[in-house]
Amino acid sequence: MTMGATTPPTIDDRFENMLVSPERVLEMLGRRRVGEVSFEQSEQGDARRLLLNVEKVAIENKRLQEKTEASYLESVSHNLHEILLSELTEQLSNTEELAKNVLNLPENIGELLDALSVKACSVSKLEPIAASIPWLYDELIVVVNTPQFRRKDSRGRIIVVETLRTALSFLGIENLRTLIPSLILKRAMPQITDPYPLIKQKLNPYATGVAITAKRLAAFSDVNKNQAYTLAVLSNLGRCVVTRLYFKLFDKIQLHLLRECQKDKEQKRHEALLRTAPSANHLIALQQEFADAVSADILAWMQLSRLPIAEPMRACADKLPAQPKTLGKILHQARTYTQIRMLHQLKLVEMKEVKPLFVEQRYPAGSLEKLKAIDIFTLPLVKNDDNR
């Protein structure tokens, strides 16, 4: 995004940059960090003004040399990213490959989500589907044995849950409707995002925040709360795909180009490639271009028959206007609210900037006050005492 000198960055641009590094947003806003002083105020600035003319000339020559080197580095990075974009675009066209081998999702994931979505959902109906997904069994066993869900027998001894049926019963259907979509996203989350570790750290609370916000907003709009929640969680699958592929392809292409340089004895280019790092700007641009479309592709691949979330996700990806009191509108509202709340926590947005966005999104009366009073970043799981 190219901005004029007086145009503040949008909330969306701030949020995307905050996921990478809050310092990037401070620079976008023209703020100095705590304890930072301007160059003119520093001792270094005072010393520089006293330099002899010959030293000034030497410094200028060094600056020009660094500028030339930076320009060359930029061209090497540009070439690498051209190759990366071509490969990434090709891979994004194979949705089944993305779902199964990039996100590690089983083929019957849609069947599981459909079963969870119906009113008549029961442990006996969920068990055979969940049993066919080994990693889901492992995750549920871990959760059900945490102190929050731990139970004791008549002698006061802790009951260690080891079977899937017991885990499903102890957790309860309502908790499972919240937990399972979150575990699917957890499975899809990128694990390696160096040199930007904050991406993987902030993506999960963002997804949780959007999901809980959507669930709360659904109650104000007479929209199914579990459908809103599930759509909001899984709308982040595309973001996970793009992030995973970007870092994987960057490493692969960089290594290939380095080997080419060694073979052709291009020392200068080899050194420049070694200094080339993953680009936050490129990653952000790729997210904004592809993430929602990939989420829509994956939800379509799931072939959901009872959970109507694929269509609103496609409409979101196509940037179609969302009608009031629909799943699509709730997703937009939940994303905007969560982004603003995360930016506000870091003092990267001011209330005078927020109010027009709230008006534009047309939140239901009273909903913002309710949202402000709850923790949207922690899954609202409750101990289930129905099945002892």
Side-chain angles (χ1 to χ4, degrees):
M1 177 178 175
T2 304
M3 293 175 287
T6 58
T7 306
T10 65
I11 295 300
D12 186 57
D13 281 334
R14 289 185 217 188
F15 173 73
E16 293 292 347
N17 280 274
M18 182 208 70
L19 283 184
V20 175
S21 166
E23 283 72 22
R24 289 175 61 86
V25 187
L26 289 174
E27 290 173 17
M28 293 168 75
L29 295 171
R31 297 187 203 163
R32 291 198 290 270
R33 294 167 220 168
V34 177
E36 192 175 21
V37 295
S38 69
F39 182 80
E40 290 73 22
Q41 294 172 310
S42 67
E43 291 182 8
Q44 186 182 356
D46 293 335
R48 185 168 181 177
R49 284 191 288 271
L50 297 173
L51 285 175
L52 297 173
N53 187 56
V54 64
E55 290 174 313
K56 288 183 181 179
V57 170
I59 287 172
E60 177 63 11
N61 287 341
K62 184 178 180 183
R63 187 188 69 80
L64 291 173
Q65 182 184 348
E66 287 173 348
K67 186 177 179 181
T68 303
E69 289 175 358
S71 178
Y72 182 70
L73 273 173
E74 193 175 318
S75 71
V76 169
S77 175
H78 179 74
N79 173 246
L80 187 156
H81 280 92
E82 275 190 325
I83 300 169
L84 189 152
L85 177 60
S86 175
E87 289 202 27
L88 183 133
T89 306
E90 183 180 346
Q91 291 196 29
L92 291 183
S93 66
N94 190 339
T95 305
E96 186 167 4
E97 178 75 13
L98 297 179
K100 290 182 177 179
N101 297 325
V102 176
L103 298 183
N104 304 308
L105 300 179
E107 200 162 329
N108 63 343
I109 201 73
E111 184 186 356
L112 175 66
L113 290 167
D114 270 338
L116 270 175
S117 71
V118 297
K119 284 184 179 178
C121 179
S122 64
V123 168
S124 60
K125 290 177 181 176
L126 279 181
E127 186 183 11
I129 310 171
S132 69
I133 308 173
W135 61 263
L136 181 59
Y137 163 81
D138 292 339
E139 292 282 1
L140 292 174
I141 290 296
V142 168
V143 174
V144 80
N145 283 300
T146 58
Q148 182 178 1
F149 293 101
R150 192 173 290 159
R151 296 187 182 184
K152 295 179 180 179
D153 62 19
S154 57
R155 296 183 180 180
R157 294 175 300 192
I158 292 171
I159 300 172
V160 178
V161 178
E162 296 178 336
T163 69
L164 180 60
R165 174 172 281 271
T166 304
L168 294 172
S169 297
F170 276 23
L171 290 168
I173 298 301
E174 281 307 308
N175 279 331
L176 292 169
R177 286 181 172 135
T178 299
L179 186 58
I180 287 179
S182 180
L183 292 176
I184 291 170
L185 186 69
K186 179 184 175 184
R187 177 81 172 165
M189 282 284 177
Q191 301 304 307
I192 299 172
T193 60
D194 297 336
Y196 309 112
L198 280 183
I199 294 175
K200 61 185 178 185
Q201 293 172 22
K202 289 190 175 291
L203 195 47
N204 190 60
Y206 170 64
T208 301
V210 176
I212 294 172
T213 300
K215 190 171 184 176
R216 290 296 184 123
L217 289 172
F220 284 86
S221 304
D222 296 322
V223 173
N224 185 292
K225 63 180 183 178
N226 290 316
Q227 291 175 5
Y229 173 86
T230 306
L231 170 62
V233 174
L234 301 184
S235 69
N236 292 284
L237 289 174
R239 188 181 283 276
C240 293
V241 167
V242 172
T243 305
R244 277 177 172 264
L245 281 182
Y246 176 78
F247 287 101
K248 180 182 176 182
L249 288 173
F250 184 93
D251 289 345
K252 173 191 163 187
I253 294 165
Q254 184 184 44
L255 183 59
H256 173 73
L257 293 176
L258 283 168
R259 285 171 175 166
E260 275 191 348
C261 290
Q262 285 180 317
K263 181 181 175 183
D264 299 336
K265 297 182 179 177
E266 294 182 271
Q267 186 176 350
K268 182 181 178 183
R269 188 159 170 253
H270 189 275
E271 290 174 356
L273 278 165
L274 286 174
R275 293 169 61 189
T276 301
S279 161
N281 290 332
H282 280 90
L283 178 57
I284 290 168
L286 292 171
Q287 292 287 7
Q288 292 174 329
E289 180 69 23
F290 296 115
D292 280 345
V294 174
S295 292
D297 289 343
I298 290 170
L299 291 185
W301 169 84
M302 288 180 185
Q303 297 184 312
L304 299 159
S305 59
R306 297 178 176 181
L307 183 61
I309 61 174
E311 191 176 324
M313 189 67 240
R314 179 64 65 193
C316 178
D318 293 341
K319 296 180 170 54
L320 299 177
Q323 297 303 312
K325 297 187 177 183
T326 62
L327 286 171
K329 184 61 177 177
I330 286 172
L331 177 59
H332 285 295
Q333 291 171 331
R335 283 178 165 183
T336 298
Y337 179 81
T338 306
Q339 289 179 8
I340 288 171
R341 191 143 156 183
M342 290 181 76
L343 288 166
H344 187 259
Q345 285 177 340
L346 297 173
K347 299 187 168 103
L348 298 176
V349 68
E350 296 178 17
M351 284 313 297
K352 65 181 180 182
E353 301 172 285
V354 167
K355 287 178 181 177
L357 289 172
F358 285 159
V359 172
E360 180 188 326
Q361 286 291 349
R362 301 181 70 178
Y363 289 88
S367 61
L368 292 175
E369 288 74 14
K370 287 280 186 182
L371 286 169
K372 190 163 63 170
I374 65 170
D375 174 10
I376 64 170
F377 301 111
T378 304
L379 290 181
L381 303 175
V382 295
K383 189 164 184 178
N384 172 51
D385 292 320
D386 295 338
N387 300 287
R388 288 193 178 272

